Amino acid sequence: MAAQGKRSTGAAAKLRRLIKPVLIIGVVLALLGVLAITVLYKSIDIPNPNKDFETETTHVYYRGGHQEVGQFALQKRDRIPFAEMPQNVKDAVVAAEDRTFWTNGGIDIKGIIRAALSNAKGNDSQGASTITQQYVKILYLSSEHSYKRKIKEAIVAKKINKEMSKEEVLEGYLNTIYFGRGAYGIQAAAASWFHEDAKDLNLRQGVMLASILNNPTLYNPDNGKANAAALLDRMKRVLNGMVTMGKITQIEAADAGKQLPHFTSNRSGSVFSGQRGHAMSLVKSELLRLGVATESEIDGGGLKVYTTLDKKVMQADEDAINANRPSGLDQLHTAIANVEPGTGALRGFYGGQDYLKSQVNWALAGDKVGSSFKPFALAAGLTAGYSLKDSFDGNSPYYYNGQGTGVYVSNEDAGHDWGPVNLIKATEQSINSAFADLTMSIPDGPDKIRNTAYALGIPKYAKHGSVNNMFQSPGLENNSGIALGQATIAPVNMANAYASIANGGQAAKLYVIDKVVDRDGKVLYKHRTQTHEAISSDVAADVTYAMQQVIKSGTGTAAGALGRPAAGKTGTATSEDPNGGHDFTSSAWFVGFTPQLSTAVMYNRTGDRGQPLPLAGYISSEFGGHFPAMTWASAMREALDGEPVESLPAPAYVDGNAPETGHAPQPTKKPTCTGKQTPSQDNCVAPRKTATPTKTAKPTKTATATQSATPTTGPTKPTTKPTDPASTPPTGGPSGGGVPCGMIGSDHTTCPPNPRAVHTTSTP
């Protein structure tokens, strides 16, 4: 026991010897810290107010940086005295931003430490600032994210707290802080949001503004329903804070938190009229998505934003729409997008109606693309080992299971028979059955086609609710009908994917912001173009050659009015009638390129609630080879005026190891007439006389191709390709027995009498 007591006494003595120097070092460091803070406090003076912040807005420029697209905010500022600010606004702002404002010393030490630890971990930058610190940063300092600025901010805040009363600080803050819509200060905010003077704001209005200033992007109800819901939730928290502070009763809080107050619409006048508004909105979305600037910095930070947009191309698009779009049709929407091959630069677009009338930008929203998706399937097939000269089933219908039952696709009038066709003819005439055969002949065909589209520039993921709509492609599902274009894709993305083909298979990321510079000339952001091989140059050359035939002698001859070498593809897609009537054509496309420019044109029709409506009967022709192709030629002709005429590559005729037999090259015959045409009408040959056909059994009921995933074991290939007119299925069919008429992939569509007949159609 005695020995143990001695050991304990010795350990305690040793511990005391260790603690003593640690305590001495700690005291010395603390004294040095106090000394450093004292020196800094004396050396840092309150700077002059940041006049630049009060006067500069952000300017956006076209390509080249000489012509201005527009300015984001014509700064709204109107100072008012503290006495004219309603008490509910003062209380709401304190409850929302700094509940210790009236008692703290201008800084929040705990908040600074918490923010420093969070920022050190790589989390989103946190301010953890008091109202006094926020006021100092806005009025006196820059928005630089650094520890040096935070230290200076804290010291200046302490000095401001000593030299100014709390009322003076809050007055300055409420006259300076950003409330969205270009409004700085409570008076400008009241006018912008409610057309009121600040002194007349009621509790609900004041709390809404106090809630917005925390994050003018997230809590801006102009940005959509999700933002409005987030704002209301924020308002409820602020109201609860006011109750806790004893400023309002629980009953008052419950009543004010029932709903958002009525606020005025956000119309920025002529600065956002026409296509300029769509351009400015796109640029702002991209600045926020890239994290280059906050909304307040965009509106008041004095930035210079240099875009890829070319004013000449933008004007060409608008002129082409005005020259070709049928007038007086409010439900008809049109869109164009132009991308430069090799860089991914968005050179121009037409988003639709005047921005002040509707903020929907159809160049970003898009619609079902129909047969304009087929070049991606062609590229996948050539990569898999097939050749342009290899033949595929051009007869109609094509049954995916090879047994004459279940899911099938058809060409025009459910029986436009081409016989075996090579891939050049299949592309030229947009033959659905041949592309269905190609899809099923490629090992894991649907997946290979989808991955090819991804590689070329079609977005991989749909970002629902994203601020930026440039990267959406909902409906691009891995199923047997993928080649026929059931996906909804934006024109900007279709133009970019085709630009990859035009660039010899080298893909570049789509972009619209080239460079951002702050008010001091510092470059905040610079885009760097990077490319990757999506498909080989030989495959790209062969796809290009097949697409040239579309313009020369296929479904898109109207695009030949461009008058220079070009390649393209038509697309016409339909939607299912929710009331059980005929499926109808709802969108029509033409997408094509020259070596210098890739352009996508889309026409579609929607109702007041955004539901698809028929193009047929609304315009004189609903096919991609008509209005879209003519519009494309007009836009490209003006956009390329003065540019040298460049040739497209010769076909390489790649010929790898075909994955399966039965696709030997052979001459492509003319289609067999269905009886509704004559040879002189559609260049078909009269059907041969045959014995009376036997009755064909009705297809069994299955899911539609657009909804059916590719079977695990893969569909059975037809052992015999249907060539006899007797193989034509009945026009009627069980509901849901295949792909709805014209649902995907068709360029020219004629639906059969039965509205539920299940096939897609295509004609020369």
Side-chain angles (χ1 to χ4, degrees):
M1 295 293 293
Q4 184 177 355
K6 289 180 179 179
R7 285 196 297 271
S8 300
T9 302
K14 186 176 181 180
L15 181 62
R16 285 194 296 272
R17 287 195 298 272
L18 291 173
I19 290 175
K20 186 174 181 179
V22 171
L23 289 174
I24 292 173
I25 293 172
V27 170
V28 171
L29 290 175
L31 290 173
L32 289 174
V34 170
L35 178 62
I37 291 173
T38 302
V39 171
L40 286 171
Y41 188 86
K42 290 184 176 181
S43 62
I44 295 176
D45 295 322
I46 298 175
N48 293 323
N50 189 350
K51 296 297 184 183
D52 287 339
F53 176 83
E54 294 187 354
T55 58
E56 290 194 46
T57 185
T58 291
H59 297 260
V60 178
Y61 297 94
Y62 285 110
R63 175 189 186 187
H66 302 300
Q67 296 175 301
E68 187 174 282
V69 179
Q71 303 175 20
F72 273 110
L74 300 176
Q75 307 271 313
K76 309 182 193 77
R77 301 178 187 273
D78 192 359
R79 298 183 66 88
I80 58 174
F82 191 70
E84 291 186 19
M85 298 176 182
Q87 190 62 42
N88 60 53
V89 170
K90 301 170 189 175
D91 293 338
V93 169
V94 170
E97 296 297 306
D98 181 9
R99 294 183 190 177
T100 65
F101 169 73
W102 294 106
T103 58
N104 65 41
I107 62 173
D108 178 3
I109 299 298
K110 291 181 180 179
I112 293 173
I113 295 173
R114 184 172 62 250
L117 291 174
S118 177
N119 295 342
K121 292 178 181 178
N123 298 328
D124 291 340
S125 182
Q126 292 189 15
S129 300
T130 63
I131 283 177
T132 308
Q133 286 175 269
Q134 292 181 54
Y135 178 51
V136 166
K137 182 179 73 173
I138 294 168
L139 193 59
Y140 299 107
L141 305 177
S142 71
S143 296
E144 175 190 4
H145 297 294
S146 68
Y147 294 112
K148 180 180 178 181
R149 185 195 61 74
K150 289 295 293 183
I151 292 171
K152 186 175 182 180
E153 173 190 295
I155 291 174
V156 174
K158 287 291 292 183
K159 287 193 170 187
I160 287 287
N161 192 68
K162 277 194 171 185
E163 298 183 16
M164 296 173 64
S165 68
K166 289 289 186 179
E167 288 78 8
E168 288 174 322
V169 172
L170 188 56
E171 176 186 328
Y173 178 78
L174 286 173
N175 275 318
T176 308
I177 194 68
Y178 181 66
F179 289 90
R181 289 191 173 181
Y184 290 83
I186 190 63
Q187 178 69 3
S192 180
W193 286 99
F194 305 114
H195 287 178
E196 299 274 3
D197 286 327
K199 62 183 177 60
D200 297 322
L201 294 174
N202 60 35
L203 175 61
R204 184 177 291 164
Q205 292 170 329
V207 171
M208 173 177 153
L209 295 181
S211 301
I212 286 174
L213 64 83
N214 179 264
N215 189 326
T217 301
L218 175 62
Y219 300 124
N220 185 347
D222 293 331
N223 292 338
K225 292 182 179 179
N227 300 77
L231 174 59
L232 184 59
D233 183 66
R234 170 80 177 164
M235 284 179 59
K236 291 176 180 178
R237 283 180 278 148
V238 173
L239 287 163
N240 288 335
M242 296 176 72
V243 172
T244 302
M245 292 168 57
K247 300 300 181 180
I248 60 173
T249 67
Q250 189 64 56
I251 294 175
E252 289 174 316
D255 181 66
K258 287 180 180 178
Q259 62 188 31
L260 296 179
H262 175 74
F263 53 89
T264 61
S265 61
N266 182 25
R267 295 205 169 197
S268 303
S270 60
V271 69
F272 275 75
S273 63
Q275 296 305 299
R276 181 181 298 179
H278 290 298
M280 296 294 286
S281 176
L282 171 58
V283 169
K284 186 173 188 177
S285 295
E286 281 299 282
L287 287 171
L288 294 170
R289 185 185 68 84
L290 293 169
V292 178
T294 65
E295 185 151 348
S296 60
E297 289 167 341
I298 292 171
D299 279 346
L303 306 178
K304 296 186 187 305
V305 181
Y306 299 93
T307 75
T308 63
L309 299 174
D310 189 305
K311 189 174 183 180
K312 175 185 175 183
V313 178
M314 293 282 287
Q315 188 62 54
D317 290 343
E318 187 167 358
D319 290 344
I321 293 295
N322 292 336
N324 293 280
R325 180 191 184 278
S327 61
L329 304 176
D330 293 339
Q331 295 175 333
L332 180 64
H333 309 296
T334 49
I336 306 179
N338 322 86
V339 174
E340 182 178 73
T343 67
L346 183 66
R347 291 303 182 203
F349 72 90
Y350 182 88
Q353 59 287 333
D354 189 325
Y355 181 80
L356 296 181
K357 294 181 179 179
S358 172
Q359 287 73 57
V360 177
N361 185 337
W362 287 102
L364 306 182
D367 209 329
K368 295 174 184 175
V369 295
S371 290
S372 60
F373 196 85
K374 286 176 180 173
F376 310 142
L378 176 59
L382 297 176
T383 301
Y386 290 112
S387 164
L388 282 178
K389 297 179 180 179
D390 286 343
S391 63
F392 292 85
D393 190 349
N395 286 330
S396 181
Y398 174 89
Y399 288 93
Y400 284 101
N401 69 2
Q403 305 301 315
T405 60
V407 180
Y408 65 90
V409 295
S410 292
N411 301 325
E412 201 269 334
D413 282 341
H416 204 145
D417 290 340
W418 291 83
V421 292
N422 62 36
L423 289 175
I424 300 173
K425 180 63 68 174
T427 304
E428 173 193 290
Q429 299 298 335
S430 197
I431 301 172
N432 285 347
S433 56
F435 274 92
D437 189 10
L438 174 64
T439 299
M440 308 322 296
S441 300
I442 303 170
D444 300 319
D447 192 53
K448 293 283 178 41
I449 293 170
R450 183 168 63 169
N451 286 334
T452 300
Y454 289 156
L456 286 167
I458 299 303
K460 191 168 186 177
Y461 302 107
K463 297 184 178 181
H464 299 290
S466 171
V467 173
N468 171 37
N469 289 325
M470 292 174 72
F471 306 101
Q472 292 192 10
S473 53
L476 186 50
E477 299 174 358
N478 184 12
N479 62 46
S480 55
I482 188 172
L484 307 183
Q486 76 269 41
T488 291
I489 303 175
V492 292
N493 293 319
M494 288 296 290
N496 189 43
Y498 274 48
S500 301
I501 301 173
N503 191 43
Q506 296 291 315
K509 185 177 181 181
L510 177 68
Y511 74 107
V512 69
I513 294 178
D514 183 56
K515 185 172 67 173
V516 180
V517 179
D518 70 10
R519 64 164 65 91
D520 298 320
K522 179 182 177 181
V523 177
L524 302 179
Y525 173 83
K526 181 70 176 73
H527 176 82
R528 289 177 174 81
T529 296
Q530 293 181 324
T531 61
H532 67 271
E533 184 178 282
I535 55 177
S536 73
S537 58
D538 285 347
V539 168
D542 282 356
V543 173
T544 299
Y545 178 74
M547 292 168 66
Q548 284 181 271
Q549 312 317 307
V550 173
I551 296 176
K552 289 180 179 179
S553 55
T555 59
T557 54
L562 170 61
R564 61 171 69 203
K569 185 69 188 74
T570 51
T572 307
T574 69
S575 294
E576 186 175 353
D577 188 341
N579 299 318
H582 284 275
D583 300 321
F584 51 81
T585 302
S586 58
S587 60
W589 293 70
F590 189 86
V591 190
F593 57 82
T594 67
Q596 301 105 314
L597 196 64
S598 174
T599 296
V601 176
M602 182 195 78
Y603 277 61
N604 74 336
R605 181 189 177 198
T606 64
D608 295 337
R609 298 182 180 180
Q611 74 277 18
L613 293 175
L615 282 172
Y618 194 66
I619 56 177
S620 59
S621 175
E622 75 269 31
F623 306 128
H626 192 69
F627 286 113
M630 293 191 301
T631 303
W632 181 90
S634 296
M636 290 286 280
R637 189 166 54 245
E638 184 175 338
L640 295 173
D641 183 42
E643 298 293 326
V645 176
E646 297 184 11
S647 61
L648 293 168
Y653 289 115
V654 295
D655 193 3
N657 296 318
E660 66 174 23
T661 60
H663 299 284
Q666 56 183 291
T668 300
K669 71 176 184 179
K670 294 181 179 180
T672 301
C673 297
T674 62
K676 294 186 178 180
Q677 302 91 6
T678 65
S680 62
Q681 287 175 319
D682 71 352
N683 201 32
C684 59
V685 297
R688 64 184 182 275
K689 294 183 179 180
T690 62
T692 303
T694 57
K695 186 175 182 180
T696 305
K698 289 186 177 182
T700 57
K701 185 175 182 179
T702 65
T704 64
T706 55
Q707 297 171 336
S708 303
T710 305
T712 304
T713 59
T716 304
K717 286 286 299 163
T719 55
T720 304
K721 299 181 184 296
T723 56
D724 196 299
S727 65
T728 302
T731 56
S735 178
V739 182
C741 169
M743 180 68 179
I744 48 179
S746 57
D747 293 300
H748 298 183
T749 303
T750 303
C751 293
N754 186 336
R756 309 305 302 161
V758 283
H759 56 271
T760 50
T761 60
S762 180
T763 66

